[in-house]
Each structure stands twice: as C-alpha cells, then as structure tokens.
Amino acid sequence: MNQLPDVIECLRTSSLFSGIGEEDLLLVAGLLHRKEFSSREVLFRQGDIGTQMFLVQSGHVVSMARDSDGNEREVYEFGSGRFFGEMSIIDNVPRSATCEVLEDSVLLVLDAIDFYRIVWEHATIGVRMLSSMSKIMAGWLDEASVFLHDVVRWGETARRRAVMDELSGLFNRRFLEETIKTHFSRAVSAPPECALLMLDIDYFHEINDAYGHEAGDSVISTTGAAYGNLLPENCVAARLSGDEFAFFITNATRSDAMELAEKIRAHTDTLFLEFRNGKEAIPARVHLTASIGVAVSPADAVSFSDLYVHADQLLFKAKEAGRNCVQPHS
C-alpha cells in the first residue's frame, strides 16, 4: 500500500513545513521513515544521544523531564502534526527530556544526517523549517519555561551550527562521519571508490604552549580558511578536534587523493603567522606545515571504520617520517 500521499498530507498540515511547496514536500517525504509505536512505548530517555527527530502523524506523545528535586514531570504533549526531538540533533547534546507514546501512534522519523542534508543542501527548505521551529519553540517556552530555559531562537546561524565548526569554517566531525557512513551504506554491490585524508598541523601544541590558546585559534582559523578554498566539489572537509582535519573525497582514485593531499601540504607550507610573546616582545614569525595520511577505498579499506583507522595510522607514519609530508599506503 502506497502511504506516501498520507505522509505528504501530514507534512502539508504541519506548522513545521508552513510555506513549503509541493515539490519540496515530496523531497522531504522521501527522507522520512514511517513507524508505528505501541501505547507506553518509550522513544528515548533524558540524557540519551539524539540521532532522530519525530513528527506525529497520528496519536499522542508526552515528554517528561526531571526537576531539580529529581521528580519526573510532564513537560509537553505532542499530537498530530507536532514535531519533537530536534534540539538534540541540532545542538549535538543529550536529550533534555524523556518521550513516551501515550496511545498507539504513527510517527514520521527523520534521521540526523538527513536533517543536516536538508538544511545544508536545500537551504530554502532548511531556513523555512528552522523559522517555523523558532516560532513554535517560543510558544513552548512560555508553557514549559522551567524545563526549556536553554532553548535558543534559531535562524540562519542554527543551520550552520548544525553542521559547521565555527573556528575553522569547515564542517564538524559529526557531519563528516555521518556523510562517510551514508556513502558506504548506499554502496550495495561493492565498496565505493573514495578516499580519506587525515591531517595534523605540525608542532601545533608547541605553538599553543609558546604563544597561548589565542595563537592556536589563529592557526586553526587561518588553515581552515585556506583549505576551504582548495577543495574540489566532490570533497567534504572537516575539523575533527584540536589541530586535526579530515578530507573525504568521493569518486576518487589514489592518484586523485595524492594530488589533493600534496596540494594541501604544499599550500600549508606557504602559510605563516606572527605572534608576540608579550606586549613588548618582538613579533615572531611562525611558519606552518602539515602531515597527511591518505587511505583509499576499496584498495586499503572496505568499510567506513577501516578507512578511518587506516588514514589515522598513515597520518601517524607521516609524523614519524619527519612531518611536512604525505604518507600513502605503501
């Protein structure tokens, strides 16, 4: 039985998708999973990691949170057309409440990676969704302020925050990992042809120790901006943590990956910053270099986790080899 018309009708009547055209509704509907839940079934608990948001097609769901005394109290009830669970996946924080099904219900489930894809790849839909969230959350805040005091007013900045690392201007670790996992999961017949580059800024911790964390932040923002201008369209770049970056390239051979890695390494070698070790100190010029490990699929790895581990090991070998070099699989 084709349930798509019912799903689209639910989207059409939901305030979350107010002002979104029929073609865009069809696009969103194709990303949703329709699931049936039984009465008293717990969808998630307060403190869980959030990987999905929900839209009620039929039935009722209640959210409950613990107050300062440890007592669990009802925060809000969601009926047909209502959505919930978005805060956790946008801010990448644990669930702020427990959600339980009050009666047999049908929910439309949107995975975090598909939410990110909507707000990033389909900006018009994403901005309208976030605008609707902002307005509706303002009403929820009035009704449940004791539990929702951390709610922010989302807009264009929230669209970026969901997938971006603010300091480097590149994507964040979560978006990169979800992108790679999705790419592998959609390759049914054989592992996809792709590559992963792992990069460390050489002697980054020494720069931090010598000139302070502001200097380290300047290194990250400078290199992030430089890398963003070097990337081909089939590459997703992210800052993982600290001075570690990663570059995922789809439809790439080892030759393609090595060419990009060497381009990134050579460009890093041209970068420098000047820092003072005190107000009266003479500015010191700090020259930047980078070490890069390169792993490719399917030659080096046939799964997301293996590709990730392999690239990280090759990065370590690049640093062992003296830094400022590219280390492929030998």
Side-chain angles (χ1 to χ4, degrees):
M1 178 179 177
N2 185 10
Q3 297 169 331
L4 186 60
D6 292 337
V7 172
I8 293 177
E9 181 60 27
C10 179
L11 301 184
R12 189 182 293 120
T13 58
S14 172
S15 56
L16 178 59
F17 300 97
S18 176
I20 295 178
E22 292 298 309
E23 287 189 9
D24 289 338
L25 289 178
L26 184 62
L27 184 151
V28 174
L31 298 175
L32 294 169
H33 308 287
R34 182 183 182 277
K35 295 186 178 181
E36 298 181 0
F37 295 88
S38 302
S39 175
R40 312 317 305 181
E41 187 170 350
V42 175
L43 299 173
F44 53 79
R45 297 190 181 279
Q46 188 172 349
D48 288 350
I49 299 300
T51 59
Q52 297 173 322
M53 66 173 290
F54 303 83
L55 176 66
V56 181
Q57 183 173 352
S58 64
H60 286 83
V61 174
V62 64
S63 64
M64 298 167 289
R66 294 190 181 279
D67 59 23
S68 57
D69 296 324
N71 299 313
E72 196 166 58
R73 296 173 51 189
E74 180 176 327
V75 180
Y76 205 86
E77 183 175 324
F78 305 97
S80 179
R82 297 283 188 159
F83 64 91
F84 60 93
E86 76 292 342
M87 288 176 59
S88 186
I89 64 174
I90 287 179
D91 282 336
N92 193 19
V93 296
R95 298 290 192 187
S96 59
T98 296
C99 278
E100 181 180 300
V101 178
L102 286 180
E103 60 188 34
D104 291 352
S105 300
V106 176
L107 306 181
L108 304 177
V109 185
L110 182 65
D111 291 332
I113 183 60
D114 290 321
F115 175 82
Y116 298 152
R117 184 167 292 110
I118 289 173
V119 298
W120 190 252
E121 295 181 4
H122 305 280
T124 301
I125 307 175
V127 170
R128 286 188 179 275
M129 286 176 64
L130 289 164
S131 176
S132 297
M133 287 178 184
S134 174
K135 294 175 183 177
I136 295 168
M137 288 303 294
W140 290 355
L141 184 60
D142 293 336
E143 297 181 35
S145 59
V146 68
F147 299 107
L148 303 178
H149 61 281
D150 290 329
V151 174
V152 295
R153 300 298 189 265
W154 295 314
E156 178 65 15
T157 55
R159 182 173 79 92
R160 291 184 59 82
R161 192 175 68 247
V163 297
M164 301 299 289
D165 172 70
E166 292 184 6
L167 188 56
S168 67
L170 304 177
F171 287 106
N172 58 30
R173 184 185 197 118
R174 184 174 184 179
F175 182 83
L176 176 82
E177 291 183 352
E178 292 289 350
T179 298
I180 301 174
K181 288 177 183 177
T182 300
H183 193 69
F184 271 87
S185 67
R186 290 179 176 173
V188 179
S189 58
E193 188 176 63
C194 58
L196 182 63
L197 282 53
M198 300 282 276
L199 176 152
D200 270 0
I201 304 299
D202 295 332
Y203 305 108
F204 176 78
H205 296 294
E206 286 82 349
I207 296 173
N208 253 345
D209 292 342
Y211 303 104
H213 292 297
E214 288 187 2
D217 288 350
S218 295
V219 171
I220 298 302
S221 60
T222 298
T223 52
Y227 297 155
N229 291 326
L230 295 176
L231 305 178
E233 291 183 0
N234 63 331
C235 181
V236 173
R239 179 191 175 205
L240 302 183
S241 63
D243 63 317
E244 189 173 24
F245 296 82
F247 307 83
F248 177 62
I249 321 168
T250 59
N251 303 316
T253 64
R254 192 184 302 278
S255 176
D256 296 331
M258 288 297 295
E259 182 179 351
L260 178 60
E262 179 56 31
K263 183 179 181 181
I264 292 171
R265 187 211 61 77
H267 189 72
T268 306
D269 202 17
T270 68
L271 301 176
F272 66 88
L273 296 95
E274 292 188 345
F275 303 115
R276 293 178 183 270
N277 208 350
K279 290 185 178 179
E280 304 301 323
I282 298 174
R285 175 172 290 195
V286 176
H287 175 237
L288 301 180
T289 60
S291 302
I292 305 174
V294 179
V296 300
S297 170
D300 303 334
V302 295
S303 69
F304 155 72
S305 58
D306 287 345
L307 186 69
Y308 209 89
V309 169
H310 203 69
D312 195 47
Q313 291 172 342
L314 291 168
L315 169 59
F316 183 75
K317 287 185 177 181
K319 291 190 286 189
E320 280 191 327
R323 296 182 168 86
N324 192 21
C325 65
V326 176
Q327 180 68 51
H329 181 77
S330 56

